[in-house]
Amino acid sequence: MALSFFSRSNSNATAKATSDGVLSLPSSRAILLASVGCMMVLSLLMVASASIPFALSRGMTELYFFNNQLLYMAIGLAVAFVPYKFVPLKTLYQTGTQFFLLLVTAVLLIATLFGTPINGSKRWLNLGVLNFQVAELAKLVVIVFVADFVVRRSFEVRNGWDGFLRISLVIGLLTFLLLLQPDFGSLVVIVGTVFAIFYIAGAPYKQFIALGAVVGVLGVLAVTLVQYRLTRALSFLDPFDDIQDTDYQLARSLIAFGRGEFTGVGYGESVQKLSHLPEAHTDFLLAITGEELGFVGVTMVLLLEALIIGSAMRISYNALKRRQMRMSYTAFGIGIIFIAQTIINAAMNMGAMPTKGLTMPFFSYGGSSMLISLIMVALLLKIYKESPEIEKSQCRHY
């Protein structure tokens, strides 16, 4: 009887093994969907709380930004369903498709330069229901393009400089257009993601040392030669030396975290959102979360982001085991985008980095970020679904 019981228990345990081959752990799809769903609910709750004073001060309805965020989520889910259901991955990795997407992205980036400036930048296209930030689309297109490039040109990537020089032509054009907007934050994320994909694709270390030095010098010049970037960098060093001017946002953000302590002052009870922290529902939503929900709330947000990132990396690893290199690099690149934006946004809110206009994925208010992030999730789910079904003889195409 004991042996029979053990045999049945072992069979049940084996049956519970996920399709990822990890015993007793939920599938990466389940974790991804649950984490994104929880993040979207938290986003709606915190956007509603943080935006009410801002909306009322401008003659809008109390839940104006809540309703907009809900609309953005609905649009994002509807649009993300299209590539998930109707765009074959093999088609996505075709060279013609890649260059078409790059061309569309470049044209849209150029079109933004003729738009109306918002907060001193020309980053958005007015699409009626939302102002679309083309840099968000550029992140996704670059991931797919580079994921295909490092496989198609694997010899050049791993031997010599040809791989870096070829990709630099494409990234250089996007860099130029992003600097014209200007959107230095998105540029840093895109370049960092390209470097990360090249690194895991086997590019030589000496290239990273040389290019890292060049990028570092260019980054320093980009900061020091533009007054508003230099001001941000200097104010970050001492966030309380000019609290009424250059340090205003960062100082108010730190005050919000300080008030929240461990469990927060209570949902809806923030003081900093009462016109003290400008547009608190966007880039500084995490600070209001820290004030109202405390360390517990901020930890919950970052934990959910970590689960989303972990799911992306797990999907990437499983595709790698099946030698589906393009799919693996794509999932990895998406994970890197989420890591970079989460770290930069959280560090900016907490005073560990200079302030920068980058959203927290699935959390901060904004239609463009929500739309593209949901499309990225759809792509991850498509890779998860189709990866086990691809025949070994066809894996080289994926």
Side-chain angles (χ1 to χ4, degrees):
M1 182 179 289
L3 289 174
S4 177
F5 174 77
F6 176 80
S7 178
R8 287 197 302 272
S9 299
N10 189 52
S11 298
N12 291 336
T14 303
K16 290 180 181 178
T18 67
S19 59
D20 291 336
V22 181
L23 187 64
S24 74
L25 287 177
S27 67
S28 48
R29 178 179 63 181
I31 295 175
L32 180 62
L33 288 172
S35 301
V36 169
C38 289
M39 280 295 294
M40 291 169 70
V41 171
L42 262 175
S43 172
L44 289 172
L45 289 172
M46 293 313 305
V47 165
S49 175
S51 67
I52 289 175
F54 182 79
L56 292 176
S57 68
R58 281 157 177 75
M60 304 171 180
T61 60
E62 288 184 347
L63 296 180
Y64 175 83
F65 292 99
F66 170 86
N67 293 331
N68 276 4
Q69 187 77 334
L70 186 59
L71 176 63
Y72 297 152
M73 290 177 179
I75 293 173
L77 290 171
V79 174
F81 180 75
V82 175
Y84 177 76
K85 194 70 176 178
F86 302 109
V87 179
L89 287 170
K90 195 171 184 178
T91 301
L92 187 63
Y93 292 122
Q94 290 177 352
T95 304
T97 305
Q98 309 255 326
F99 280 99
F100 173 75
L101 291 173
L102 285 170
L103 178 62
V104 170
T105 303
V107 169
L108 292 177
L109 284 171
I110 293 171
T112 60
L113 302 178
F114 299 95
T116 303
I118 300 177
N119 295 330
S121 300
K122 295 181 179 181
R123 304 178 186 175
W124 296 268
L125 289 176
N126 189 344
L127 301 182
V129 292
L130 61 86
N131 288 324
F132 183 68
Q133 189 171 356
V134 186
E136 297 295 331
L137 174 63
K139 295 171 188 175
L140 176 57
V141 172
V142 166
I143 288 172
V144 176
F145 177 77
V146 176
D148 173 70
F149 180 88
V150 294
V151 176
R152 184 162 38 89
R153 300 283 186 175
S154 60
F155 181 81
E156 296 175 6
V157 170
R158 297 176 182 179
N159 300 274
W161 289 86
D162 287 352
F164 264 117
L165 293 177
R166 286 177 182 271
I167 203 70
S168 295
L169 296 174
V170 175
I171 302 304
L173 174 61
L174 294 178
T175 297
F176 177 71
L177 294 175
L178 287 171
L179 287 176
L180 288 179
Q181 293 186 350
D183 191 351
F184 191 66
S186 294
L187 174 60
V188 169
V189 171
I190 289 173
V191 172
T193 303
V194 172
F195 269 55
I197 295 176
F198 263 73
Y199 177 79
I200 65 165
Y205 288 100
K206 61 182 180 181
Q207 295 183 3
F208 287 96
I209 295 173
L211 288 172
V214 172
V215 171
V217 171
L218 293 176
V220 171
L221 291 175
V223 171
T224 55
L225 296 179
V226 179
Q227 185 58 44
Y228 80 91
R229 292 183 193 140
L230 181 60
T231 300
R232 285 182 178 181
L234 294 177
S235 63
F236 148 76
L237 298 176
D238 186 354
F240 293 98
D241 65 340
D242 190 8
I243 195 171
Q244 295 301 324
D245 189 11
T246 57
D247 299 335
Y248 187 81
Q249 276 187 308
L250 182 55
R252 294 296 177 180
S253 179
L254 293 175
I255 291 170
F257 280 109
R259 290 192 73 243
E261 297 184 350
F262 190 75
T263 56
V265 297
Y267 180 74
E269 299 299 321
S270 167
V271 171
Q272 294 305 314
K273 69 183 181 184
L274 302 177
S275 300
H276 296 297
L277 186 55
E279 300 189 32
H281 57 291
T282 56
D283 299 333
F284 285 89
L285 186 61
L286 190 68
I288 301 302
T289 304
E291 185 178 7
E292 294 189 350
L293 305 182
F295 175 81
V296 174
V298 173
T299 300
M300 179 60 67
V301 171
L302 297 181
L303 177 60
L304 289 171
E305 292 285 5
L307 288 173
I308 293 170
I309 294 164
S311 299
M313 294 304 182
R314 197 170 157 197
I315 291 170
S316 172
Y317 177 68
N318 286 317
L320 177 66
K321 289 194 295 184
R322 300 183 181 103
R323 308 301 297 172
Q324 298 155 356
M325 306 307 294
R326 290 174 174 85
M327 293 162 62
S328 178
Y329 292 145
T330 299
F332 176 80
I334 291 173
I336 292 296
I337 289 286
F338 290 160
I339 289 173
Q341 296 203 180
T342 298
I343 290 176
I344 292 173
N345 183 273
M348 172 192 74
N349 274 262
M350 298 176 188
M353 289 181 67
T355 56
K356 201 74 210 80
L358 283 174
T359 58
M360 177 81 72
F362 308 102
F363 188 61
S364 302
Y365 175 82
S368 306
S369 176
M370 186 64 68
L371 173 64
I372 299 301
S373 294
L374 288 173
I375 292 176
M376 288 181 178
V377 169
L379 192 53
L380 289 173
L381 293 174
K382 191 172 184 69
I383 292 172
Y384 174 90
K385 177 185 176 183
E386 296 189 7
S387 177
E389 301 172 357
I390 298 172
E391 297 180 5
K392 288 185 177 180
S393 61
Q394 296 297 310
C395 285
R396 62 190 179 88
H397 299 297
Y398 296 89

mmCIF file of all heavy atoms in Angstrom, residues 35 45 89 102 199 202 212 214 227 232 236 239 253 260 296 300 322 326-327 360:
data_model
loop_
_atom_site.group_PDB
_atom_site.id
_atom_site.type_symbol
_atom_site.label_atom_id
_atom_site.label_comp_id
_atom_site.label_asym_id
_atom_site.label_seq_id
_atom_site.Cartn_x
_atom_site.Cartn_y
_atom_site.Cartn_z
ATOM 1 N N SER A 35 0.542 38.624 -13.101
ATOM 2 C CA SER A 35 1.308 39.797 -12.674
ATOM 3 C C SER A 35 0.895 41.044 -13.446
ATOM 4 O O SER A 35 0.719 42.119 -12.859
ATOM 5 C CB SER A 35 2.810 39.535 -12.874
ATOM 6 O OG SER A 35 3.229 38.416 -12.134
ATOM 7 N N LEU A 45 -5.994 51.987 -9.621
ATOM 8 C CA LEU A 45 -6.246 52.482 -8.264
ATOM 9 C C LEU A 45 -5.390 53.702 -7.940
ATOM 10 O O LEU A 45 -5.881 54.712 -7.435
ATOM 11 C CB LEU A 45 -5.976 51.369 -7.252
ATOM 12 C CG LEU A 45 -6.984 50.213 -7.212
ATOM 13 C CD1 LEU A 45 -6.477 49.098 -6.313
ATOM 14 C CD2 LEU A 45 -8.342 50.711 -6.723
ATOM 15 N N LEU A 89 4.990 34.316 -36.394
ATOM 16 C CA LEU A 89 6.333 34.704 -35.970
ATOM 17 C C LEU A 89 7.325 34.605 -37.123
ATOM 18 O O LEU A 89 8.253 35.409 -37.229
ATOM 19 C CB LEU A 89 6.785 33.821 -34.802
ATOM 20 C CG LEU A 89 6.117 34.106 -33.457
ATOM 21 C CD1 LEU A 89 6.466 33.015 -32.453
ATOM 22 C CD2 LEU A 89 6.517 35.469 -32.922
ATOM 23 N N LEU A 102 10.946 49.250 -39.614
ATOM 24 C CA LEU A 102 11.934 50.302 -39.362
ATOM 25 C C LEU A 102 11.607 51.569 -40.143
ATOM 26 O O LEU A 102 11.727 52.685 -39.616
ATOM 27 C CB LEU A 102 13.331 49.812 -39.716
ATOM 28 C CG LEU A 102 14.000 48.840 -38.741
ATOM 29 C CD1 LEU A 102 15.263 48.261 -39.349
ATOM 30 C CD2 LEU A 102 14.310 49.524 -37.415
ATOM 31 N N TYR A 199 25.584 41.194 -26.378
ATOM 32 C CA TYR A 199 26.417 40.512 -25.381
ATOM 33 C C TYR A 199 26.064 39.035 -25.280
ATOM 34 O O TYR A 199 26.944 38.167 -25.335
ATOM 35 C CB TYR A 199 26.252 41.195 -24.025
ATOM 36 C CG TYR A 199 27.020 40.507 -22.914
ATOM 37 C CD1 TYR A 199 28.389 40.700 -22.773
ATOM 38 C CD2 TYR A 199 26.371 39.664 -22.012
ATOM 39 C CE1 TYR A 199 29.100 40.063 -21.768
ATOM 40 C CE2 TYR A 199 27.064 39.029 -21.002
ATOM 41 C CZ TYR A 199 28.428 39.230 -20.880
ATOM 42 O OH TYR A 199 29.124 38.596 -19.892
ATOM 43 N N GLY A 202 27.138 36.739 -28.103
ATOM 44 C CA GLY A 202 28.535 36.323 -28.208
ATOM 45 C C GLY A 202 29.484 37.331 -28.793
ATOM 46 O O GLY A 202 30.582 36.972 -29.240
ATOM 47 N N GLY A 212 31.712 50.973 -25.133
ATOM 48 C CA GLY A 212 31.260 51.519 -23.849
ATOM 49 C C GLY A 212 31.947 52.840 -23.550
ATOM 50 O O GLY A 212 31.315 53.784 -23.050
ATOM 51 N N VAL A 214 33.177 54.913 -25.830
ATOM 52 C CA VAL A 214 32.652 55.908 -26.780
ATOM 53 C C VAL A 214 31.281 56.400 -26.339
ATOM 54 O O VAL A 214 31.009 57.611 -26.310
ATOM 55 C CB VAL A 214 32.578 55.312 -28.200
ATOM 56 C CG1 VAL A 214 31.855 56.278 -29.139
ATOM 57 C CG2 VAL A 214 33.972 55.018 -28.720
ATOM 58 N N GLN A 227 21.745 72.434 -21.342
ATOM 59 C CA GLN A 227 21.590 73.047 -20.027
ATOM 60 C C GLN A 227 20.600 72.310 -19.135
ATOM 61 O O GLN A 227 20.866 72.076 -17.959
ATOM 62 C CB GLN A 227 21.161 74.516 -20.178
ATOM 63 C CG GLN A 227 21.087 75.272 -18.858
ATOM 64 C CD GLN A 227 22.415 75.257 -18.108
ATOM 65 O OE1 GLN A 227 23.470 75.448 -18.689
ATOM 66 N NE2 GLN A 227 22.350 75.003 -16.800
ATOM 67 N N ARG A 232 19.501 68.936 -14.321
ATOM 68 C CA ARG A 232 18.943 67.740 -13.688
ATOM 69 C C ARG A 232 20.027 66.911 -13.007
ATOM 70 O O ARG A 232 19.848 66.424 -11.891
ATOM 71 C CB ARG A 232 18.228 66.876 -14.729
ATOM 72 C CG ARG A 232 16.881 67.414 -15.162
ATOM 73 C CD ARG A 232 16.227 66.462 -16.147
ATOM 74 N NE ARG A 232 14.911 66.923 -16.552
ATOM 75 C CZ ARG A 232 14.115 66.264 -17.401
ATOM 76 N NH1 ARG A 232 14.530 65.126 -17.921
ATOM 77 N NH2 ARG A 232 12.934 66.750 -17.715
ATOM 78 N N PHE A 236 20.321 66.441 -8.864
ATOM 79 C CA PHE A 236 20.247 65.091 -8.310
ATOM 80 C C PHE A 236 21.291 64.875 -7.210
ATOM 81 O O PHE A 236 21.063 64.139 -6.253
ATOM 82 C CB PHE A 236 20.432 64.082 -9.456
ATOM 83 C CG PHE A 236 21.116 62.807 -9.091
ATOM 84 C CD1 PHE A 236 20.448 61.819 -8.384
ATOM 85 C CD2 PHE A 236 22.427 62.574 -9.463
ATOM 86 C CE1 PHE A 236 21.076 60.641 -8.055
ATOM 87 C CE2 PHE A 236 23.064 61.399 -9.150
ATOM 88 C CZ PHE A 236 22.380 60.424 -8.438
ATOM 89 N N PRO A 239 19.402 66.982 -3.610
ATOM 90 C CA PRO A 239 18.007 67.261 -3.948
ATOM 91 C C PRO A 239 17.323 68.301 -3.062
ATOM 92 O O PRO A 239 16.154 68.604 -3.287
ATOM 93 C CB PRO A 239 17.340 65.890 -3.781
ATOM 94 C CG PRO A 239 18.199 65.155 -2.825
ATOM 95 C CD PRO A 239 19.603 65.631 -3.081
ATOM 96 N N SER A 253 9.218 64.281 -4.162
ATOM 97 C CA SER A 253 9.122 62.829 -4.252
ATOM 98 C C SER A 253 9.724 62.154 -3.021
ATOM 99 O O SER A 253 9.131 61.228 -2.450
ATOM 100 C CB SER A 253 9.848 62.348 -5.519
ATOM 101 O OG SER A 253 9.789 60.939 -5.626
ATOM 102 N N GLY A 260 5.395 58.230 3.917
ATOM 103 C CA GLY A 260 4.735 56.927 3.844
ATOM 104 C C GLY A 260 5.270 55.908 4.830
ATOM 105 O O GLY A 260 4.527 55.038 5.298
ATOM 106 N N VAL A 296 5.366 48.797 1.946
ATOM 107 C CA VAL A 296 4.625 47.594 1.539
ATOM 108 C C VAL A 296 4.096 47.760 0.114
ATOM 109 O O VAL A 296 4.234 46.865 -0.725
ATOM 110 C CB VAL A 296 3.459 47.318 2.513
ATOM 111 C CG1 VAL A 296 2.609 46.160 2.017
ATOM 112 C CG2 VAL A 296 3.988 47.027 3.909
ATOM 113 N N MET A 300 5.302 45.791 -3.313
ATOM 114 C CA MET A 300 4.356 45.019 -4.113
ATOM 115 C C MET A 300 4.480 45.368 -5.603
ATOM 116 O O MET A 300 4.499 44.488 -6.464
ATOM 117 C CB MET A 300 2.929 45.288 -3.638
ATOM 118 C CG MET A 300 1.856 44.540 -4.423
ATOM 119 S SD MET A 300 2.042 42.741 -4.343
ATOM 120 C CE MET A 300 1.677 42.466 -2.595
ATOM 121 N N ARG A 322 15.440 25.167 -27.026
ATOM 122 C CA ARG A 322 14.944 24.539 -28.259
ATOM 123 C C ARG A 322 15.680 25.070 -29.488
ATOM 124 O O ARG A 322 15.286 24.772 -30.611
ATOM 125 C CB ARG A 322 13.440 24.790 -28.391
ATOM 126 C CG ARG A 322 12.623 24.220 -27.238
ATOM 127 C CD ARG A 322 11.128 24.431 -27.464
ATOM 128 N NE ARG A 322 10.355 23.908 -26.356
ATOM 129 C CZ ARG A 322 9.805 24.662 -25.391
ATOM 130 N NH1 ARG A 322 9.936 25.985 -25.435
ATOM 131 N NH2 ARG A 322 9.127 24.112 -24.416
ATOM 132 N N ARG A 326 16.023 33.422 -32.482
ATOM 133 C CA ARG A 326 15.361 34.705 -32.685
ATOM 134 C C ARG A 326 14.300 34.946 -31.617
ATOM 135 O O ARG A 326 14.183 36.047 -31.073
ATOM 136 C CB ARG A 326 14.735 34.750 -34.087
ATOM 137 C CG ARG A 326 15.741 34.833 -35.228
ATOM 138 C CD ARG A 326 15.040 34.736 -36.573
ATOM 139 N NE ARG A 326 15.959 34.947 -37.690
ATOM 140 C CZ ARG A 326 16.709 33.993 -38.230
ATOM 141 N NH1 ARG A 326 16.647 32.762 -37.737
ATOM 142 N NH2 ARG A 326 17.526 34.265 -39.229
ATOM 143 N N MET A 327 13.509 33.929 -31.334
ATOM 144 C CA MET A 327 12.472 34.044 -30.316
ATOM 145 C C MET A 327 13.081 34.262 -28.936
ATOM 146 O O MET A 327 12.571 35.050 -28.127
ATOM 147 C CB MET A 327 11.582 32.803 -30.342
ATOM 148 C CG MET A 327 10.755 32.691 -31.610
ATOM 149 S SD MET A 327 10.103 31.032 -31.917
ATOM 150 C CE MET A 327 9.061 30.793 -30.494
ATOM 151 N N MET A 360 6.946 53.632 -15.582
ATOM 152 C CA MET A 360 7.019 52.297 -14.997
ATOM 153 C C MET A 360 6.075 51.409 -15.802
ATOM 154 O O MET A 360 4.882 51.697 -15.883
ATOM 155 C CB MET A 360 6.581 52.345 -13.534
ATOM 156 C CG MET A 360 6.547 50.999 -12.842
ATOM 157 S SD MET A 360 8.162 50.429 -12.279
ATOM 158 C CE MET A 360 8.457 51.544 -10.897
#
